[in-house]
Amino acid sequence: MRRAHCRCETVRNFDYEEAAEKLGCKARFLRDNIRRLPHQRMGEAVVFCDCELDLIRALHTFVPPSVEALLNPPAPSAAPSEVPTLHSIRPSKGRNTARVS
Ligand SMILES: [Zn+2]
């Protein structure tokens, strides 16, 4: 099996307990879900490198659509909208300009 996802210069592997510690989860969770988690199996041993831990994080990262929209605003050409971009917003003229002493 190729390890295209692995970008470790020097692979350092972590066992269930170490991986759980790094991820901040329970080792039990990793064991229970190992069939759908990227990992290496060597005989009885199951280990994870940093890249696999990153993939596990990505697999369990949930971003609500409202937050996703904030992070990735639709491109103007693809989805024209009436919402002004930050760059198009200018301070209004009038109040609070010259007379503040
Ligand atoms: Zn790796």
Side-chain angles (χ1 to χ4, degrees):
M1 176 89 181
R2 285 179 62 233
R3 290 178 49 75
H5 65 280
C6 183
R7 302 189 192 288
C8 295
E9 282 188 27
T10 304
V11 177
R12 163 128 196 255
N13 283 330
F14 305 95
D15 64 19
Y16 275 120
E17 277 69 29
E18 291 167 326
E21 170 93 37
K22 291 195 72 164
L23 289 168
C25 69
K26 305 271 192 226
R28 172 76 193 274
F29 169 80
L30 297 175
R31 286 180 206 279
D32 288 352
N33 294 279
I34 196 59
R35 290 174 65 173
R36 61 181 192 83
L37 298 176
H39 64 280
Q40 302 155 61
R41 181 179 292 276
M42 297 167 204
E44 298 280 296
V46 167
V47 293
F48 310 83
C49 79
D50 273 316
C51 312
E52 284 146 0
L53 298 183
D54 278 344
L55 285 169
I56 293 170
R57 279 188 201 94
L59 277 171
H60 297 91
T61 298
F62 298 96
V63 179
S66 56
V67 176
E68 185 91 46
L70 275 181
L71 298 172
N72 300 304
S77 57
S81 86
E82 300 301 311
V83 180
T85 66
L86 273 183
H87 288 291
S88 73
I89 299 175
R90 293 281 177 272
S92 64
K93 292 173 185 159
R95 297 179 285 165
N96 291 339
T97 48
R99 287 187 197 138
V100 178
S101 54

